[in-house]
Every structure is written in structure tokens, then in C-alpha cells.
Amino acid sequence: MSGISGHWAFAFGVLGNIVSFIVFLSPLPTFYKIYKKKSTDGYQSIPYVVALFSSMLWIYYALLKTNTTLLITINSFGVFIETIYVGFYLFYAPKKSRVQTIKMILLFVVCGFGAIILVTEFLFKGAVRGQVVGWICLIFSLCVFVAPLGIVRQVIKTKSVEYMPLLLSIFLTLSAVVWFFYGLLLKDINIAIPNVLGFILGILQMVLYVIYNKKEKAILKEQKLPEKLQNHMVISIDEKNKNFPELTEEQIIDIVKLGSLISSGKIHIASCLHDAACASAKIENTPNNLQTVEA
């Protein structure tokens, strides 16, 4: 039974490596936008710094455990690609964002990771050390999934999904499912538990994207509507009374004549843009050859 479980765990581990590889590459469109804009304005470095720190922790945890080669492979790639992301961000970030990012790197990667290694190496031995590092990994894995909530807050505040990486949310959700089963089959709660929250938060981000993306499209559609109507004359009717103004007999006769000319195609009305003085109409093939109706 354990042999079958081990084979399934290996299968989910390989699948997890593939999905996580895509997860690590999913921010590439975001950084392409940063490259095009030559600015990181609107984007945050928190998810990438935390992801870098988390990958380093998982490598350390995997080195203390057995049969965790698949954790080492994917997190080694994670350290490599997240380092590139952070460096790219620092290159294009304004001074304030650059300083904040450097502070986070010093706090998490240098001080935090260094302190964890020193404390666990000197204060804990054997299996206990692995358990302590495992719980630390669990906590900071939750931080990786919680980090994008800053972007979720921004989406709700601005009612725009411009800065929400939908592709990243989709693959994080899928990755959470795969790694949950991997941890479950290995009976390692430190791997399984964080991915439950990761799945929930991933679904939340996708739901928000769908909601606010629809609202954004509706707003853009409303903004384009006046442009289509700007060359048209709009006649409003009192919907409460639904009564036309009283007309004299001569006015009625003129309206009937004008209607017959419009229906026969003998009248051409020229529209004008935001200038009531230029509204005119041309009537062709009449006894006087040309008549003008002013609007």
C-alpha cells in the first residue's frame, strides 16, 4: 500500500514541478509590461520577495528530510527566477519603491533566512529540527498565498483588474491542488495544509477578476456610446405626459410636406458637431432647386 502511495506521490510531485514551473514563469507578461512602460508604477514587489524567501526555506526543509528531491528541484528554479524578477523590479522601480524592496530583501532573505538557519542549527537536533523548519515553511507558504491580497485590495479599491495577474492566480490555484495531494500522500502536513488556503485564495482572485473585468468592459462601453451619438440629433419626448406640443394648422401642413419629402429621399440633412448654427438641410429636385431648413 505504501508502495502505491509512494508512486502516486512521485507522480503528483512531477506534476507539481511542471505546474510550479509555469507558476514561476507566469509573471513574465507583467514584467514585459514593466519593460514597455519603463516603470513599475502600480505593481508591487512583495509577492516576488516573499516567493524568493519561501523557495529558500523549502530547499532548506527538503535537505533535512528524505525523499524530497522534487521539492529541491522546483524550489531551486524558484530561487533562480525570483532573483531575476526582483532584480528586474529594482532596475525599473522609482526610488521609493526601490528602497522599500531593498528593505524587504534585507528583512526576509538576509536577516530572516540567516536567523532561521542559525537558530535551528544550534538549538534543535535531528528530527525536531526538521519539524521546526517545516512549521516555519508552513507559515511562510501561507504568506506567499496571502501576499497577492494586496493586489486584490487594489482591484476592489480601483475597480480595475489592470494590475491583477489572472494567469498567476489560475496556476497558483492549480499548483495548490497538486501539492496538496503530494503532501497528503507523503503524510506531510507542512506541505498539505498551506495549499488548502492557497486554493481558497486562488478561487477568490479569479472570482474578483471576472466580476471587475465585466464592470470595466461595461464602463468602457458606456464611454464609447456618447461618441457614437455625438453626430446625431436627439429629440426627447415627455414620457410622463406623452403629449406633443399643440401645433397650428399651418405647422401641421408643413410637417406633412416635410415628411413626404424625407420618405421620398428628396431631402438630405447635414449634421454638425456641437454647433447649432451650422445645422442645415438640403432639399433637391424642388421647384426652387434649393431650400434650407434650419434646425
Side-chain angles (χ1 to χ4, degrees), residues 46 62 154 282 293:
I46 296 175
Q154 187 176 9
K282 294 180 181 179
V293 180

Side-chain angles (χ1 to χ4, degrees), residues 45-54 82 86 101 104-105 108-109:
S45 61
I46 296 175
Y48 311 108
V49 175
V50 174
L52 173 61
F53 178 58
S54 178
E82 295 298 339
V86 173
T101 303
M104 284 191 296
I105 293 172
F108 285 99
V109 179

Side-chain angles (χ1 to χ4, degrees), residues 85-97:
Y85 289 154
V86 173
F88 197 87
Y89 185 93
L90 288 172
F91 184 79
Y92 286 106
K95 184 177 179 180
K96 184 179 180 180
S97 298

